[in-house]
Amino acid sequence: MRKRSVATGIAAIAVLAGSLAACSSSGTSGTSVTDKVQSGKKLVVGIKFDQPGLGKKNPDGTFSGFDVDVAKYIAKQLGANDASITFKEAKSADRETFLEHGDVDFIVATYSITDARKQKVDFAGPYFVAHQDLLVKSDNTTITGPESLSGNKKLCSVKGSTSAQKVKDNYAKGVQLQEYGTYSDCVDALISGAVDAVTTDDTILAGYAAQHPGQLRVVGKGFSDENYGVGLKKGSTDLKAQIDTAIRKMESDGAWQASLEKNLGPAGYKIPSPPAITE
Ligand code: GLU
């Protein structure tokens, strides 16, 4: 009787150890994402839902934009088709947390590679370089660059973004920075007159300006380099290498250029060359 209970105990421990091992391999490390794809499980990819031309959830439930195309291309290279991707909205302030908690497998969401973020997450890429800029009302003649914001101008940016951080670090004096949750909320505030300008990457601003022709315009004096990376859970060495390979392929087979022309071209954005992959 006693022997049997010991054996049962050992069996229970073995089962527990097995399920713990299964747990750790179902995280978001390189091998597990490949395992996930091979076993037909859905990939969860973080994108923006409100940035036209980059990451947008359309009224019919479909998703479009350059980041969406990059995400789909990567997924395909990993062996997953479009139907096996679940897109999850990753607002600027949520990105590191989503990756750290394993809520997403990877993130393609105008996500700049920075040393501060690299303390918490890994990046593949970069796959694009954008520049921080300003969006104003078309008839505004006083805001010509970040320096012209002093004089208590109300400036909107987003929590957890490099854009808000840069204003705090370099242009805080005399500027009233308001941090919202999303850039589309900032754009609404600009249209209503609650703020004087919106700041973030020129790619994002170009998309909003194109939605409001004659009403909003991008100032066009980029004042940073934003290297967009694919965000990964820290320690995803294999997955990072696979994603870098996928990005190189997308750039060399013309899909990268075609997606940019389709998604940013109509907004008048000048398509740059792809950056060197450094991560
Ligand atoms: N690329 C910048 C960043 O990662 C601004 C755009 C955004 O918030 O997504 O913070």
Side-chain angles (χ1 to χ4, degrees):
M1 190 62 206
R2 194 176 144 78
K3 249 186 187 159
R4 220 173 94 191
S5 69
V6 169
T8 311
I10 290 170
I13 289 167
V15 167
L16 189 64
S19 63
L20 280 177
C23 260
S24 65
S25 72
S26 69
T28 51
S29 73
T31 39
S32 71
V33 170
T34 315
D35 289 350
K36 232 177 150 174
V37 170
Q38 278 167 1
S39 60
K41 292 208 186 82
K42 284 203 160 195
L43 281 182
V44 184
V45 182
I47 58 162
K48 294 297 182 77
F49 274 15
D50 68 328
Q51 296 181 183
L54 294 155
K56 176 97 176 111
K57 183 171 184 180
N58 302 309
D60 66 359
T62 60
F63 299 92
S64 58
F66 174 57
D67 278 344
V68 171
D69 287 350
V70 171
K72 285 181 179 171
Y73 195 100
I74 291 168
K76 198 165 181 193
Q77 296 304 306
L78 296 174
N81 58 24
D82 289 3
S84 47
I85 305 172
T86 302
F87 286 114
K88 183 176 167 74
E89 181 174 27
K91 292 180 183 168
S92 297
D94 292 333
R95 295 175 293 196
E96 286 86 61
T97 321
F98 278 5
L99 291 168
E100 287 175 316
H101 292 178
D103 296 334
V104 291
D105 290 301
F106 57 88
I107 288 183
V108 193
T110 57
Y111 197 10
S112 298
I113 302 170
T114 69
D115 288 340
R117 289 173 179 164
K118 277 162 78 170
Q119 305 289 317
K120 297 179 176 174
V121 302
D122 278 354
F123 288 98
Y127 62 91
F128 192 84
V129 187
H131 310 281
Q132 186 169 354
D133 214 312
L134 295 162
L135 184 73
V136 294
K137 286 229 177 105
S138 298
D139 57 6
N140 183 309
T141 50
T142 52
I143 298 175
T144 51
E147 285 81 10
S148 63
L149 294 164
S150 56
N152 260 351
K153 295 280 189 315
K154 291 196 189 97
L155 177 65
C156 192
S157 197
V158 163
K159 291 187 200 95
S161 69
T162 56
S163 322
Q165 193 57 48
K166 188 151 200 100
V167 172
K168 289 183 217 169
D169 291 346
N170 298 357
Y171 307 104
K173 226 175 149 222
V175 179
Q176 291 186 54
L177 177 66
Q178 308 196 353
E179 291 179 83
Y180 286 30
T182 62
Y183 297 107
S184 51
D185 285 345
C186 281
V187 171
D188 290 345
L190 178 62
I191 291 169
S192 77
V195 300
D196 300 303
V198 178
T199 188
T200 187
D201 305 339
D202 50 7
T203 43
I204 301 171
L205 300 178
Y208 294 127
Q211 279 190 332
H212 303 278
Q215 195 182 10
L216 303 179
R217 67 178 172 86
V218 182
V219 168
K221 287 212 191 101
F223 50 95
S224 78
D225 285 337
E226 305 296 325
N227 286 277
Y228 289 175
V230 177
L232 310 169
K233 190 174 203 161
K234 206 156 180 52
S236 310
T237 318
D238 295 346
L239 184 60
K240 182 195 288 206
Q242 288 173 301
I243 294 181
D244 280 343
T245 303
I247 294 170
R248 283 196 181 90
K249 188 157 188 267
M250 186 176 185
E251 289 168 359
S252 64
D253 73 6
W256 185 90
Q257 184 76 24
S259 173
L260 284 167
E261 277 166 14
K262 182 178 96 202
N263 290 296
L264 296 184
Y269 195 91
K270 197 174 166 291
I271 315 290
S273 306
I277 291 175
T278 53
E279 301 301 311

